[in-house]
Amino acid sequence: MAYSLRHQDLQVVEAASVQASALSTPEGWQVERLSPGLGAVIHGVDLSAPLTDVSLTALRQLLLKHEVLFFRRQTMSPQQHRALGAAFGTLHIHPVFPSVPSIPEVMVLDTQQQDLKDNALWHTDVTFSETPPLGAILAARHLPSCGGDTLWASGIAAYEALSPMMKEHLEGLTALHDFTRSFPLARYGKTSEAVARWKAARDQHPPVEHPVIRVHPESGRRAIFVNEGFTTEICGLEGDESAALLGYLFRHVTKPEFQIRWSWREGDVAFWDNRTTQHYAVDDYRPHRRIMHRVTIVGDRPFGPGDRSA
């Protein structure tokens, strides 16, 4: 399967990466870096208020540089949450998870209402889509007294740590991503209505092929783009070869060197680049309740290092 850069040129996106590394933030903002690999807390931003074009541009550039951004003490309503996400692009509506009443773009993750085991593993959101999300904005609504942290890992940092020979080997490969790997009928078909919804989602999202190494459409940086949540096989390899290589990549990309761990507080918001990161919601707080709201921004079709045609 061929992937193309379309109207963008790699020289342009590589220049954007350099520009992002030298960005200046709006007055009153402070950037607290969390690790060498990824993550930053952005202080002095009120996400409940409409953001200026300057602020939106700064957030885009900070996202390119740090991959995951965090904001403390936010007071966004679901309507404001939706508006914030829509400022970055078209919003995705999840085929399985419920949403805030009358606001379908704001997904609800409530452990008292849903089985969320599919979040307690390393995954990149919705890679079963032809156009996986650009990113997602997650807001804490109700938290357990302790536990319930979320970890993120950088596919960029993991790629850059590979040997030159391994990079060369991976850059021509593609892999299949399957909706049913994280959303099996056994867990998402408890009622006849749920079965019908699951079958419709499965039929709308057949397995899709993506490059194993993805080129970021804005920065031009390369990232490992397979994840335990949805990637089922590497195309063109025998089953045991595929399983061995995927197992290695799943372990490699989630090494502590490429991770950060976030301990949530009421009012926290996280905004991550779904094109280059994976995350893991730690399921250590049962029987206590945890409620999160998420808006998901539609992305573009992934392309690999060899796909530079216009």
Side-chain angles (χ1 to χ4, degrees), residues 159 162 170-171 173 211-215 222-225 303-305:
Y159 167 81
L162 294 171
L170 296 175
E171 286 174 357
L173 298 177
V212 170
I213 303 301
R214 181 178 187 174
V215 177
R222 299 178 184 188
I224 296 174
F225 195 65
F303 59 89

Side-chain angles (χ1 to χ4, degrees), residues 162-171:
L162 294 171
S163 68
M165 289 186 68
M166 180 59 82
K167 290 177 182 176
E168 183 179 359
H169 176 59
L170 296 175
E171 286 174 357

Side-chain angles (χ1 to χ4, degrees), residues 106-126:
V106 180
M107 190 174 81
V108 176
L109 299 167
D110 183 348
T111 55
Q112 198 169 87
Q113 305 297 326
Q114 305 147 261
D115 179 352
L116 296 175
K117 292 185 181 69
D118 53 279
N119 286 314
L121 83 168
W122 285 103
H123 64 285
T124 299
D125 289 331
V126 196

Side-chain angles (χ1 to χ4, degrees), residues 168-309:
E168 183 179 359
H169 176 59
L170 296 175
E171 286 174 357
L173 298 177
T174 61
L176 286 183
H177 296 243
D178 191 338
F179 164 82
T180 65
R181 182 173 171 90
S182 274
F183 299 107
L185 181 60
R187 285 202 289 120
Y188 287 89
K190 300 296 187 182
T191 66
S192 58
E193 180 182 356
V195 169
R197 185 169 59 248
W198 182 90
K199 287 182 176 178
R202 178 203 59 190
D203 292 345
Q204 291 167 12
H205 299 93
V208 61
E209 193 174 338
H210 293 311
V212 170
I213 303 301
R214 181 178 187 174
V215 177
H216 195 290
E218 295 181 66
S219 72
R221 301 181 74 184
R222 299 178 184 188
I224 296 174
F225 195 65
V226 296
N227 69 93
E228 190 177 358
F230 296 112
T231 309
T232 57
E233 64 181 272
I234 294 180
C235 302
L237 299 186
E238 295 295 334
D240 56 348
E241 295 172 334
S242 171
L245 186 52
L246 278 178
Y248 164 73
L249 291 173
F250 293 159
R251 293 190 302 272
H252 175 74
V253 77
T254 58
K255 285 181 178 178
E257 294 90 329
F258 315 135
Q259 288 183 27
I260 54 168
R261 181 171 182 143
W262 184 254
S263 295
W264 293 93
R265 303 176 192 166
E266 296 288 345
D268 280 1
V269 172
F271 182 11
W272 65 91
D273 193 327
N274 197 67
R275 299 164 291 192
T276 61
T277 63
Q278 302 186 21
H279 54 282
Y280 186 118
V282 180
D283 190 7
D284 61 353
Y285 49 87
R286 305 304 176 98
H288 301 290
R289 191 178 189 182
R290 182 178 184 266
I291 305 173
M292 313 293 280
H293 285 180
R294 189 182 94 195
V295 298
T296 308
I297 305 153
V298 174
D300 60 352
R301 188 171 184 168
F303 59 89
D307 306 306
R308 303 189 182 198
S309 58

Side-chain angles (χ1 to χ4, degrees), residues 1 13 31 39 57 67 95 100 116 123 150 172 201 239 277:
M1 182 179 293
V13 292
V31 179
T57 297
E67 299 185 81
V100 172
L116 296 175
H123 64 285
T150 304
T277 63

Side-chain angles (χ1 to χ4, degrees), residues 39-42 58-60 62-63 66-71 269-273:
V41 183
I42 314 302
L59 286 179
R60 285 184 178 274
L62 287 166
L63 191 66
H66 299 290
E67 299 185 81
V68 190
L69 307 178
F70 300 97
F71 309 83
V269 172
F271 182 11
W272 65 91
D273 193 327

